[in-house]
Amino acid sequence: LWVSTGIRGVDYGLTGVPFSKFHISENGGPYYLTYKEVTAIQFDKTGNMWLGYETGHLEQHTYDPLNKIQYNIQTKNPEIPHGSVFALFEDSRQQVWAGGWLTGLLKLNSQTHTFVPVPIKSDSISRLTEAADVRAIIEDKKGNIWISFHGIGLGKYNPATQEMQIFGESAENPSTGLSNKYIYSLCFDKNENLWIASAHGISKMDTETNTFTSWFSEEDNPNSLNSSRVNTVHHDNSGNIWAGTDKGLYLFLPAIGNFKPVLTEEDYPGMNISAIQSVNPGEIWLSTQTGIFKVTYSINSGGKEVVVSATQFNRSDGLLSANYFPRSAGNANGLIYFAGNEGIDFFNPDELSSYSQTSNNIRITEIISDGKQVMSKVKNNEKGRLELDYRNQFLLIRFSAFNFKITDIGRYRYKLEGLNDEWIYLQNEHQATFTHLRPGDYVFRIETMYKGKWINNHAVLPVFVKKPYYMTAGFFIILAVSLFFFVWGISKTRSKVLLLRQKKLEQIIEKRTLELQHKNKELLQANQTKDKFFSIISHDLRSPFSGLLGILDLLTSNENSFDSATQDQLLQTVKSSAYNTFELLENLLLWSRAQMKNTTCTIEKHNISEVLRKNINLKKETARQKGISISESFTDRIEALFDKEMINTVIRNILSNAIKFTHPGGQVNIVAENKNGEVKISISDTGIGLTEKELHTIFKLEKMNRPGTEGEKGTGLGLI
């Protein structure tokens, strides 16, 4: 019978399944759940079912009479909100105990129908545990109540004396103390040893001596726990101790003194065990995050090896839930109960022996390459293979298991032989993607897991990626020929380049040779000019000093009989000669500094009129002696940017030459004006001027020195 449910698809029913269920119902009657999240299950001596919920509620389901009774939880601190109920237990005195998140240890008050905190004589322990997180409650043969206070440690409570004793972990020696104070589960073995499962390891306690032995995960020991997080510990009907961790199932073998791995994630991915129950010898049942497992086992005569067979059940077999709550389980009257995310599943283990499971078939449903459907290429190919071009960058293969009873179809693994021979495991996906496959032959294989086993009815798809043209034999021949001509061409080109480089080097050498010859010529001319310059210096400096010394000898001689007019004339001659000699020395110093590149030009704003007037005043006496008049045509202040020392030297030399080469009675004109942002200075005279030949040598050292109009001598350095 098929039933449509609109846009959500189609629902279907299963028949012949051995599982029954307790679930939420609108009538809310007995043996119907008030909430679907059941976190604790307990059956009392009369067969009534007690349930604790994640919401913090408690209820009792009775069958005679058929009824459902709900209970409230009271704590010592009502301001602290309580949460999930994790532990329910009925002791040998038919007293019901309870505990959960922030509840502390509670017991049922049958008169008030409420769960109330148990009285504890020690005030310090009472305060420590009054809002404790209780995960498990159990009773020993002496009537003591043992409690797992999660985060505090192990508690031992004597109902008669109301005394509580707390056992904690040993930081000094973890292997001889309680493995961890975050305890999840408790159970007694046949020797009345207490086994304690915790967040870090598992411990065995000798309740007579209060001593502990602990086991932890040992990375290098295969016969040990592979995870120290032990969710639950269970003592089965055959007297064996089982540990369920977040990574697998382990059996304690006294012969090896450790826990032997039985089922791990390598056998069943996601093997996170929630609870363990047993009814028949040689058989245990597990609730996990991926369904329910039946495990049958046998231990060899040496007690060191165990042989197991496992069968997985999930929603495809009629289970109500897909995953199950930690330690929320129980058994009564040969039935096993597991609480999960949708309610409670229960069953008779004996009835499942005749239950037949069917496998699923897997098919490739879609093939996409670079965004295009290519499934038709496989169907039309004679070899039944998928042929791809080397330019195809992306390949997507989708697949599905065709069995409507299989709801958990997310367990797939695949491999592409030729690329990677290792299986790649998937969780909820049912597609495989590949990118940039190299040319060659491949085989795609996909398998699915059914009931915890990988089924070999895998789908197979041969894949062939064609070679590109540049990987063919013809292409390599063309490439070899092309490479030969390419190398030959490079060799010829290299020869031409070397010849051109050689010719260029010869040109550079020739150019450098000419430059050296030119510099040698300049150096020779400089040496000749220097020699001539020093020759002029030696003659022009010696002659004035000779004249000065002669006149000074006459003036200072005892036989001096010169009159005043003659003496004045001689002194004027000495003065004139001294001025000329000083001018010669000054020009010499300026020239030498210029030759040594020590002259610096400092451009600043100055009054050019001041410089002109200073030089006019300096030469006014010389002009007066020759009867030469100097006319000025400029204002008192004309500012300009110039190097003061350089301009002062230039004006002084030009003015000196103008007076020198002007006849007595002549005139020198000095004009300065500021026009269009520039200052123009003009010094002109009525003198003899310069010939065309003299103009070409005026700035050269080898020029001929011409005497002035009155026979004045010069150095010829003023304009160099």
Side-chain angles (χ1 to χ4, degrees), residues 168-361:
E169 58 187 336
S170 173
E172 294 77 13
N173 195 348
S175 62
T176 60
L178 185 63
S179 62
N180 189 263
K181 63 183 179 180
Y182 290 90
I183 301 172
Y184 290 124
S185 178
L186 303 171
C187 76
F188 282 103
D189 62 18
K190 59 185 178 181
N191 297 320
E192 201 63 12
N193 293 310
L194 179 62
W195 291 81
I196 306 143
S198 73
H200 185 68
I202 187 170
S203 299
K204 180 180 74 170
M205 179 183 182
D206 186 329
T207 56
E208 295 295 330
T209 62
N210 291 340
T211 57
F212 294 86
T213 305
S214 296
W215 291 266
F216 304 92
S217 174
E218 301 175 45
E219 184 176 353
D220 299 327
N221 185 1
N223 290 326
S224 69
L225 301 170
N226 71 346
S227 172
S228 291
R229 183 185 177 92
V230 183
N231 294 329
T232 184
V233 61
H234 178 73
H235 177 242
D236 70 9
N237 290 347
S238 301
N240 298 303
I241 296 297
W242 298 85
T245 75
D246 59 345
K247 292 185 178 180
L249 175 68
Y250 299 83
L251 171 63
F252 182 77
L253 296 177
I256 65 173
N258 212 328
F259 285 86
K260 182 82 173 181
V262 176
L263 295 177
T264 67
E265 287 186 322
E266 295 181 359
D267 304 307
Y268 295 93
M271 177 57 71
N272 187 346
I273 297 176
S274 298
I276 306 173
Q277 291 290 311
S278 62
V279 174
N280 300 320
E283 174 186 287
I284 63 171
W285 291 82
L286 316 175
S287 65
T288 71
Q289 297 300 307
T290 56
I292 293 176
F293 285 81
K294 172 187 177 182
V295 180
T296 58
Y297 67 93
S298 62
I299 303 173
N300 66 4
S301 57
K304 295 183 178 181
E305 298 294 334
V306 58
V307 178
V308 300
S309 174
T311 305
Q312 183 182 14
F313 300 90
N314 52 32
R315 298 190 68 181
S316 66
D317 299 294
L319 290 178
L320 180 63
S321 297
N323 51 74
Y324 293 85
F325 293 123
R327 298 165 296 280
S328 185
N331 67 79
N333 301 320
L335 301 179
I336 294 176
Y337 298 77
F338 288 118
N341 61 307
E342 295 295 334
I344 298 176
D345 288 290
F346 65 98
F347 54 91
N348 186 334
D350 296 333
E351 294 180 1
L352 268 80
S353 59
S354 60
Y355 175 65
S356 175
Q357 295 178 325
T358 58
S359 63
N360 58 326
N361 297 316

Side-chain angles (χ1 to χ4, degrees), residues 89-97 106-110 115 145:
F89 180 74
E90 184 188 41
D91 64 17
S92 58
R93 297 173 294 274
Q94 296 186 334
Q95 173 68 60
V96 178
W97 303 77
L106 308 174
K107 68 178 181 179
L108 177 62
N109 186 324
S110 58
F115 280 86
I145 302 298

Side-chain angles (χ1 to χ4, degrees), residues 404-543:
F404 292 108
K405 289 182 64 177
I406 304 298
T407 59
D408 184 13
I409 60 172
R411 300 289 184 178
Y412 293 98
R413 67 178 184 179
Y414 70 88
K415 63 180 176 179
L416 186 63
E417 296 176 355
L419 177 67
N420 189 352
D421 291 334
E422 298 293 331
W423 288 101
I424 298 174
Y425 294 85
L426 302 174
Q427 290 296 325
N428 298 319
E429 304 90 349
H430 41 93
Q431 65 182 32
T433 57
F434 306 95
T435 58
H436 301 90
L437 290 177
R438 298 176 62 86
D441 289 294
Y442 303 89
V443 178
F444 176 75
R445 299 182 186 275
I446 178 72
E447 291 184 355
T448 183
M449 176 179 281
Y450 183 71
K451 305 305 179 187
K453 298 179 182 179
W454 292 106
I455 307 302
N456 59 5
N457 62 335
H458 50 254
V460 179
L461 174 66
V463 180
F464 175 69
V465 181
K466 299 177 182 177
K467 293 182 179 180
Y469 68 91
Y470 52 79
M471 295 182 68
T472 61
F475 176 79
F476 282 109
I477 294 173
I478 296 173
L479 181 63
V481 174
S482 301
L483 184 61
F484 170 78
F485 283 106
F486 177 72
V487 173
W488 178 80
I490 288 178
S491 178
K492 295 290 291 182
T493 304
R494 186 171 180 272
S495 299
K496 290 182 180 180
V497 170
L498 290 175
L499 290 174
L500 290 173
R501 187 177 296 175
Q502 182 179 358
K503 186 175 181 181
K504 187 174 181 180
L505 287 173
E506 291 175 353
Q507 292 174 349
I508 292 173
I509 292 171
E510 183 178 358
K511 181 179 178 182
R512 296 288 173 81
T513 302
L514 293 175
E515 290 177 354
L516 287 174
Q517 291 175 351
H518 179 69
K519 288 187 177 296
N520 287 335
K521 185 177 180 181
E522 289 181 346
L523 182 60
L524 181 60
Q525 290 176 351
N527 286 331
Q528 291 174 352
T529 302
K530 181 187 68 175
D531 293 341
K532 187 173 183 179
F533 173 74
F534 283 115
S535 175
I536 294 171
I537 295 301
S538 64
H539 177 269
D540 288 350
L541 277 177
R542 185 171 53 192
S543 295

